[in-house]
Amino acid sequence: MSNVQVWSAGLVIPITAPSVMDGAVAVKDGRIEHVGARDWVLETLAERGLSYSERHFDGVLLPGLVNAHTHLQYTGMAEVGAKQYRGMSDWISGFNAVYDAGGLDWGKDAATGAQMLLEAGTTSAADVVTDPEAASALHNAGLHGVAYWEVMDWTNDDWKERGPATVEKALDAMPAPPAVGISPHAPYSLEADPLLDLPDLARRRGVRLHIHLGESHSEAEWAEGRTGELSDLWRTGDSSSFTAMRARGGGFSATQFVDQLGVLGPDCHVAHGVYMTADDRRRLRSRSTAVALCPRSNRVIGLDAPPVAAYLNEGNMIAVGTDSLSSSPSLDVMEDVAVLFDIARNQGYRASDLARRLLNAATLGGAWAIGTATGPDRIGQLQAGAVADMCVIDVPVSDITGSIEDVVRHGAGRQVETVIAGQVRFSREGSLR
């Protein structure tokens, strides 16, 4: 029996190295041994005296996709995501009607969502968990990533009385692997004290943060209706939350607010980032905070498109998420990548590197967002020593540049194999050559 498995394809896209026509990746014990031209990889294995078996595809082999923002437990709420809404409040009404009716099996639905991720070429995810029954979805499916415990609807008084202990208990109950994190839901769903305390709680435990930010119109910046510095205003007794300050005329953005509270940082990534000014985007860059863009979810809810071209031109770290089936047609990251391509072009981004940068966002960018882009267990890249998380997309291979654009624009629904730590976790019958 061979202890080395080789995956070869018409095109291999390592992300962190030049793409290779007729390339191959050799895997041993769940990690990548060699990446390069197929002939070179096979010769190198022979020189080392290593036997191997080979799986060959005519399409494209790349790192496993990273879904940098989803809620797997809402997989059973697809009836909500199948409609079109007139904004956040309209969507929340539709969501709450189904959520409050009960009868949903969060654990079963999350498991179904995890299987959908595998079938879509996803090997790692940032899964936001609201109900404990859904906490084991990534763990049970053997997916990599971070399961974030969501914290929302806490007032300052309730938080001081029992908030930290409640969150600590929930985190202790989360199964591992994968990693566990904390997701303060959004500036409008938490008062100031929990938003101030949660980053410290997370950092003392050494876990990551993830927050919805700039998703709704109410989080955008507008002309100030009162004077005073934000850094002074949020500390005053007459403003208990972002919502309360906005009601009193404060025109600052939600991004400015959470930055003052210390939420942002290299251990945090945000979801959506639709309503962000140039100053907001600068704050994300200065804090080394990535943003997971979810354009199809924004479209279903009735929101504007995210400023994709601005993020790219200004050098923000971006990742890609699907959000949940309660606001998106599928859990296929590549569908969002294709939408982002069109948005960027419509917003005036004309550089020839667009497809490459968006493919980077769906792989290595997602790994950066969840803290797994470097170190011994790094993902989102095909390089020696990295964890062998990969996917194969069945698109025609011609030249490198054209094939990469085909993957970005037409790769959705054409994933034919998903590999996690060197193990085939999904394979579409008939795709192997």
Side-chain angles (χ1 to χ4, degrees), residues 15-31:
I15 298 295
T16 53
S19 299
V20 183
M21 298 287 289
D22 191 19
V25 177
V27 176
K28 183 175 184 291
D29 298 330
R31 294 184 181 273

Side-chain angles (χ1 to χ4, degrees), residues 329-395:
S330 78
L331 298 181
D332 189 343
V333 166
M334 293 308 299
E335 291 198 25
D336 283 282
V337 169
V339 172
L340 289 170
F341 185 97
D342 291 338
I343 291 172
R345 286 293 190 233
N346 290 336
Q347 292 175 347
Y349 191 88
R350 294 287 175 262
S352 62
D353 65 352
L354 178 57
R356 293 174 183 271
R357 293 185 71 179
L358 292 178
L359 201 56
N360 183 298
T363 53
L364 186 62
W368 274 110
I370 62 175
T372 55
T374 61
D377 295 323
R378 61 194 180 279
I379 61 166
Q381 59 218 278
L382 302 181
Q383 59 175 212
V387 176
D389 283 8
M390 305 180 290
C391 73
V392 180
I393 298 182
D394 187 19
V395 298

Side-chain angles (χ1 to χ4, degrees), residues 255-281:
T255 302
Q256 293 169 323
F257 176 69
V258 300
D259 188 34
Q260 287 287 334
L261 297 176
V263 176
L264 306 180
D267 55 356
C268 172
H269 81 286
V270 308
H272 300 291
V274 175
Y275 300 100
M276 289 197 172
T277 64
D279 179 71
D280 293 333
R281 298 190 298 270

